[in-house]
């Protein structure tokens, strides 16, 4: 996306949550506030419903509302001592099994403290914004999107007592794909996929670049969860 030196006051994003996530990744370095207009299905991340676009734009042009800061994750994949992938995620980074339905071996380390190896279908490393996506379906917690935390949710762990965990955003996470693991993959925000091999290490930490969402009307977080069918 080429802005040619022009930095707008805001960006209107027409689509659903997936469109908003993709645009947030493209514009992250510019820190442009985003206003999502829901033309998709759930639209949990978008601020405006389709039928309300006109009065919402009037509020925007009148400079009403506020900016909601959303923390994001940065990650890198190291293989045999070399960095082979890097990226930025607003929702989540998911480590998952490959094409064959076999468990993968994962070993989690938090700030050099071992959490312990386990086998599972995968692991979801989510931001608070991303807890309403894949993480909650896998049994993870719902976390208010403006908190700063890193949420780890195992996907169908096998014969393991490991549970979903929430860490302060200052912590650094390392996940090793064990040498005995089946093939695995990494998915960014449910949109970008990367192949992993046994022995890979994935390093994750809070990004210095937040996403910035425009909020026009005060609405309680629980009310939004209820309106979108979370309970």
């Amino acid at each position: 996306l080429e802005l040619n030196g022009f930095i707008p006051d805001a960006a209107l994003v027409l689509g659903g949550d997936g469109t908003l996530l993709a645009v947030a990744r493209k514009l992250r370095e510019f820190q442009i506030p985003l206003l999502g207009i829901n033309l998709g299905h759930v639209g949990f991340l978008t601020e405006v419903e389709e039928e309300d676009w006109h009065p919402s734009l009037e509020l925007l042009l009148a400079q009403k509302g506020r900016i909601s800061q959303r923390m994001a994750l940065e990650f890198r994949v190291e293989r045999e001592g070399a960095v082979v992938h890097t990226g930025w995620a607003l929702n989540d980074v998911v480590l998952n099994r490959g094409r064959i339905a076999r468990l993968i071996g994962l070993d989690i380390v938090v700030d050099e403290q071992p959490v312990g190896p386990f086998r599972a279908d995968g692991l979801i490393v989510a931001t608070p914004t991303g807890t309403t996506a894949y993480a909650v379906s896998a049994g993870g917690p719902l976390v208010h999107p403006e908190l700063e935390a890193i949420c780890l949710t195992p996907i169908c762990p096998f014969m393991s007592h490991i549970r979903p965990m929430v860490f302060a955003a200052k912590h650094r996470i390392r996940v090793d794909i064990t040498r005995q693991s089946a093939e695995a993959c990494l998915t960014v925000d449910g949109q970008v996929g990367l192949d992993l091999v046994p022995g890979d290490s994935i390093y994750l930490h809070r990004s210095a670049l937040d996403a910035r969402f425009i909020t026009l009307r005060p609405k309680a977080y629980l009310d939004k969860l209820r309106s979108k069918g979370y309970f």
Side-chain angles (χ1 to χ4, degrees):
L1 183 65
E2 297 292 338
L3 295 181
N4 297 319
F6 171 68
I7 306 299
D9 295 325
L12 302 182
V13 183
L14 310 181
D17 290 343
T19 305
L20 189 59
L21 290 168
V23 172
R25 286 200 307 277
K26 290 180 179 180
L27 294 180
R28 64 185 183 273
E29 295 182 1
F30 303 103
Q31 293 290 280
I32 299 170
L34 308 178
L35 178 65
I37 300 178
N38 182 28
L39 303 180
H41 298 290
V42 177
F44 188 83
L45 301 182
T46 56
E47 172 70 9
V48 178
E49 294 301 324
E50 181 177 1
E51 61 273 14
D52 295 330
W53 73 267
H54 193 275
S56 297
L57 290 190
E58 289 181 338
L59 290 173
L60 178 67
L61 293 174
Q63 300 184 19
K64 303 295 184 181
R66 66 181 184 88
I67 303 297
S68 174
Q69 295 284 139
R70 305 292 184 89
M71 67 158 278
L73 294 171
E74 289 186 13
F75 72 90
R76 73 179 189 275
V77 179
E78 292 192 5
R79 181 175 301 157
E80 304 296 339
V83 177
V84 295
H85 298 295
T86 60
W88 183 94
L90 175 56
N91 249 13
D92 52 33
V93 175
V94 178
L95 309 177
N96 215 333
R97 64 189 186 187
R99 291 168 293 178
I100 305 299
R102 294 179 58 192
L103 299 174
I104 57 176
L106 301 170
D107 198 356
I108 302 174
V109 179
V110 179
D111 290 341
E112 305 304 323
Q113 296 294 313
V115 175
F118 66 100
R119 293 194 300 157
D121 281 350
L123 176 71
I124 304 167
V125 185
T127 66
T129 298
T131 58
T132 54
Y134 192 4
V136 71
S137 298
L142 288 170
V143 180
H144 192 282
E146 292 183 352
L147 292 177
E148 296 190 351
I150 300 175
C151 306
L152 274 59
T153 304
I155 306 170
C156 297
F158 176 69
M159 296 184 68
S160 171
H161 295 294
I162 189 168
R163 295 290 184 264
M165 295 171 284
V166 180
F167 295 95
K170 65 181 180 181
H171 294 295
R172 290 177 174 264
I173 313 294
R174 188 184 89 223
V175 183
D176 298 325
I177 310 296
T178 64
R179 294 286 180 180
Q180 297 76 32
S181 175
E183 66 179 8
C185 62
L186 181 152
T187 305
V188 183
D189 287 341
Q191 296 177 330
V192 179
L194 308 169
D195 290 329
L196 301 174
V197 300
D200 282 356
S201 294
I202 301 90
Y203 295 81
L204 306 106
H205 62 89
R206 187 202 195 286
S207 175
L209 298 174
D210 290 339
R212 307 178 72 204
F213 289 173
I214 297 173
T215 299
L216 296 175
R217 300 178 180 86
K219 188 173 185 180
Y221 177 60
L222 293 179
D223 288 342
K224 190 166 189 179
L225 288 174
R226 186 177 294 107
S227 69
K228 296 299 181 179
Y230 282 89
F231 54 80

